[in-house]
Amino acid sequence: MNDGTQVAIVTGGYGAIGLAIARQLAAEQFDVVVAGRNEVQARHAVEEIERATGREVEIAGALELAIGLKPSLTVTGVRFANAAGGSRPEMATFERLEARVGLWPLLSGEIDIDRLVVIGADLLLERDENGVGNWMFLGESPANAESAGPPTIPAPSEVVVRGSTRSYADGERRHHVRIDSLTAETTRGETPLELVFSGAVNGQPISLRGRVGALRRLRDGRSFPLDITLTAA
């Protein structure tokens, strides 16, 4: 690499030998990418999500773990099942998800995502004939969701979305957003979120640039300032 960084790719690195090699390379100041498919860890993660949501989850692709000062995890081919009776089998699919985490929080047992990259996502939000949203998971009800207060929202300092769509359906109402490119950056805390978006809403091409309030304000249910410029083609 141009910056002098040495990168080592360890294939099959989730086995005992591969992990030992990866640890040694990391100790020798290499940025290590552990590539392969860890069936046990992937299955464990899938089971935890399925237990919490009551939905089927499938990871059809590979898992890649990059070990370094900024560890990252990449997963491809993710499928999350829709609610029973939904208009299609999947609520969401993802071609690729990348999460970079802070090293020091990770060493203390905490997962602090500072950068999230979403590629090729297809998300469908819809309500059934009784008005129940497919985002209501196992054991939840609309009343419980409202009484629980604002949801916990992950707040990475950078979010990048490419080539994705988000659709909403409620009876006769339909709403579709195509995300060609979305970048959101902040230094966290109360710092505003810098936002750049290009795509289309219900077929109308638009671009957006500006600032919005810190995600913490949205998470806490406080007022959420907006200072954005919207351009429609």
Side-chain angles (χ1 to χ4, degrees):
M1 296 179 64
N2 293 334
D3 62 1
T5 301
Q6 301 181 92
V7 179
I9 300 176
V10 181
T11 60
Y14 291 108
I17 295 176
L19 285 176
I21 294 172
R23 283 194 292 266
Q24 181 62 35
L25 289 169
E28 295 177 9
Q29 306 304 310
F30 280 81
D31 278 349
V32 181
V33 176
V34 180
R37 182 167 175 82
N38 184 341
E39 298 288 352
V40 174
Q41 293 296 332
R43 189 64 239 169
H44 176 71
V46 164
E47 289 174 352
E48 288 296 319
I49 297 172
E50 290 180 339
R51 185 178 300 112
T53 64
R55 306 280 182 85
E56 179 184 351
V57 178
E58 178 185 0
I59 300 177
L63 295 171
E64 294 181 1
L65 175 63
I67 302 173
L69 293 178
K70 294 183 177 181
S72 64
L73 176 67
T74 301
V75 59
T76 58
V78 181
R79 170 187 170 274
F80 185 75
N82 202 357
S87 62
R88 72 180 193 189
E90 299 85 13
M91 176 181 176
T93 60
F94 303 89
E95 292 180 9
R96 184 181 182 91
L97 294 171
E98 304 173 15
R100 187 178 68 194
V101 300
L103 177 60
W104 299 117
L106 187 64
L107 292 176
S108 62
E110 299 179 3
I111 298 179
D112 181 20
I113 300 175
D114 67 9
R115 185 173 192 264
L116 178 65
V117 179
V118 180
I119 306 294
D122 181 2
L123 173 64
L124 171 65
L125 303 177
E126 61 181 351
R127 294 181 184 272
D128 63 17
E129 59 184 9
N130 296 315
V132 178
N134 64 344
W135 56 91
M136 300 295 178
F137 300 125
L138 188 66
E140 289 187 330
S141 68
N144 289 338
E146 291 178 4
S147 62
T152 300
I153 300 175
S157 57
E158 181 181 8
V159 175
V160 177
V161 183
R162 298 282 187 271
S164 299
T165 62
R166 193 231 65 181
S167 302
Y168 176 77
D170 183 1
E172 296 299 319
R173 291 193 298 164
R174 296 289 188 273
H175 189 268
H176 182 80
V177 177
R178 189 190 77 231
I179 305 171
D180 297 332
S181 175
L182 169 65
T183 302
E185 295 182 87
T186 181
T187 55
R188 300 189 179 183
E190 293 294 326
T191 305
L193 190 69
E194 301 285 345
L195 189 65
V196 180
F197 169 89
S198 64
V201 176
N202 294 332
Q204 172 65 56
I206 66 168
S207 61
L208 180 151
R209 180 183 295 269
R211 290 185 174 188
V212 300
L215 290 179
R216 179 181 296 177
R217 301 179 66 89
L218 184 62
R219 181 181 59 199
D220 296 341
R222 293 182 286 161
S223 60
F224 194 66
L226 297 173
D227 181 12
I228 60 176
T229 300
L230 178 67
T231 303

